[in-house]
Amino acid sequence: HCIRTGAKTQTLIALSSGEAELYALVKACSEGLGIQSLAKDFHRNLSIRTYTDASAAMGIVGRKGLGKLRHVDTQYLWIQDAAARKAIEFSKVSGSLNPSDICTKGVENWRLTEHMNRISVQARCDRAVTAPTLK
């Protein structure tokens, strides 16, 4: 089940799109680890599966070390170890099937509806039954 989704402005300055996608993937995984730790406090074991449409970020995660990268801070490379230990599962998603697009770019109405259905979100124009009545 999807526990949390959201969109945030990236606070780091990246010199390439691959680097920017890596930073986003690291941020998502660190938040996932936080949720996993919280679940352990309630005696629940959760696995972390992270999806991305960035081939460059997947390439960085799948190897060991910087390779030809020049500007990535090594503190972000813990994600490579997590991938190698299979502590976090990484999956590639097609850009056209990526529901995070609704939070990061303008999409057509039909695609917005398609993505919302994919993550089990409904758009409604009425008030919730439990909402208080305003006078």
Side-chain angles (χ1 to χ4, degrees):
H1 298 285
C2 179
I3 295 176
R4 182 178 184 277
T5 183
K8 297 178 182 177
T9 303
Q10 191 163 314
T11 57
L12 295 168
I13 297 172
L15 299 177
S16 71
S17 60
E19 184 182 344
E21 294 288 353
L22 173 67
Y23 292 151
L25 199 55
V26 168
K27 178 72 173 167
C29 290
S30 61
E31 289 188 17
L33 288 170
I35 292 170
Q36 186 182 53
S37 178
L38 180 64
K40 281 183 184 175
D41 291 344
F42 294 102
H43 308 288
R44 300 282 183 241
N45 291 322
L46 299 179
S47 60
I48 301 172
R49 181 180 298 152
T50 307
Y51 293 92
T52 183
D53 61 359
S55 297
M58 288 290 289
I60 295 167
V61 168
R63 67 174 175 246
K64 191 76 173 165
L66 288 173
K68 293 184 179 181
L69 295 172
R70 297 179 182 209
H71 305 289
V72 174
D73 195 339
T74 55
Q75 71 178 351
Y76 298 102
L77 297 182
W78 64 264
I79 198 167
Q80 292 175 335
D81 182 56
R85 290 184 292 112
K86 300 192 184 315
I88 301 173
E89 184 180 334
F90 296 91
S91 298
K92 180 88 166 84
V93 64
S94 169
S96 62
L97 299 176
N98 191 351
S100 68
D101 282 354
I102 63 177
C103 298
T104 59
K105 56 184 84 161
V107 296
E108 301 89 349
N109 188 37
W110 66 270
R111 187 161 311 241
L112 176 65
T113 303
E114 187 178 87
H115 286 323
M116 289 173 62
N117 289 336
R118 190 169 286 118
I119 60 174
S120 301
V121 173
Q122 295 178 352
R124 295 191 175 179
C125 297
D126 55 341
R127 292 178 58 83
V129 176
T130 57
T133 306
L134 301 175
K135 294 182 182 182

